[in-house]
Amino acid sequence: MQYQFDKVKSNPTMKKILFVAAVLISSIAYSQTTIIDSIWVDSLYRSYKIYIPSIYNPANPTPLVFNFHGYGGNYNQTGNFKPIADTANFIIVMPQGDSVPLLTLYYPGWNNFNSVADFDKDKNFISNLIDTLKTQLNVDLDRVYAAGGSNGGFMSYDLACFLSSRFAAIASVVGSMTSLHVSSCNPQHPTPVMEIHGTADSVVYYNGGAIDSSFMHIDSLVKHWVTFNNCSPVPVFSAVPNIIPFDSCYAQHYVYNGGDKGSSVELYKVIDGGHTWPGSGFTFSGPKTCMDFSASVEIWRFFRKYNLASLTSGINEISSSAGISSHVFPNPFNDFVKISYELTQPAETYISVYNIYGSEIKQLAHQNNSAGTYSIFWDGKNSAGTKVPAGIYFYTIHAGKSESCGKIILLSGK
């Protein structure tokens, strides 16, 4: 279901009535709803598109995920979060960038390449847009996230730097920051960051430079956020299984844990990957899309661990270091995987297993545990006792107010 609103001629009161009517109709019909609208900010109409999943319930606060397009693109050219939102239940907002200078070019985008002051109009747009959506939908202001590709990735970083009070975590796909914006970056709280980047990116070079010589080297950018969040400088490394060998690239995963208030930084380094969105058919520029993992799935897996209150108040309810640690073996697996965890204090404990869309498919080991080491086996079956398809799954160990999350790969399914 889609509604198109006139961005200039519409009466503001009528627009609000139509917006509310659209949401009410969608909730009655139980179908996904796409709405295109605009708001007036800094003497300019700024457009945006939102996607409301069919399972959205106006009675419940719902997470909000911003998805920013790349330079020269529009709000229809972003990574696809819709299938995930349909089961994990979050609202997606896709804003439209204004005309932005980059060297001698002027295309729709986000003003992250020039002075920090030039970014103010985009910052005001996004802040006002959050306030607008909050009046029309039950948005959970504690769980607002920013993700984007290419120039949209730059946008996510700048929001973490200059509008951190509104965002719990950010993710960038083949984006970066300029050295000027890094030097001016001043978040108000530890900020979880995920970067996904190809080493053969021909637009935003992994080693820095490219279109603009001030673009940061990705390793240096990751190190900046690791240092800011006070994460462990030694990452947990894992090789992403090369399940699609003909895509001519493969990925490495680096996780920097132990940051202040449970924050972390993650890097997916796509060896020989291009200026593309892994796991999708959408490319910003050029070939070589890694299909061994889904960037959208990994971003939501990362986002869902964080909320703004825990990062600003010091009460971190989602942490792999607050009294619990875990590991799995073997991984990938065929018949059984052993999930082991260690508690440093007594806790009521259970394990949830989720599919890539965020739906819980199985609960394991619901019991009261003393401090100590425990193990549980999962046979790759859902709660109905049916073997699930081969693929990527996630587990969360709940122990009181602490959680430990991880990924499991099932090689042989139904």
Side-chain angles (χ1 to χ4, degrees), residues 79-80 276-283 289-291 293-296:
N80 186 15
T276 60
W277 190 283
S280 77
F282 178 74
T283 63
T289 301
C290 181
M291 299 303 291
F293 72 102
S294 166
S296 301

Side-chain angles (χ1 to χ4, degrees), residues 94-106:
M94 296 152 279
Q96 175 63 48
D98 193 22
S99 179
V100 168
L102 175 60
L103 302 180
T104 60
L105 304 174
Y106 277 85

Side-chain angles (χ1 to χ4, degrees), residues 166-190:
R166 310 305 298 266
F167 289 90
I170 69 101
S172 162
V173 179
V174 296
S176 185
M177 294 184 71
T178 66
S179 54
L180 174 62
H181 283 221
V182 169
S183 65
S184 302
C185 185
N186 186 31
Q188 299 175 19
H189 58 78

Side-chain angles (χ1 to χ4, degrees), residues 287-307:
K288 306 194 82 172
T289 301
C290 181
M291 299 303 291
D292 298 323
F293 72 102
S294 166
S296 301
V297 168
E298 293 302 314
I299 289 170
W300 176 246
R301 185 267 306 165
F302 181 70
F303 282 170
R304 64 188 291 270
K305 297 189 294 181
Y306 297 105
N307 62 80

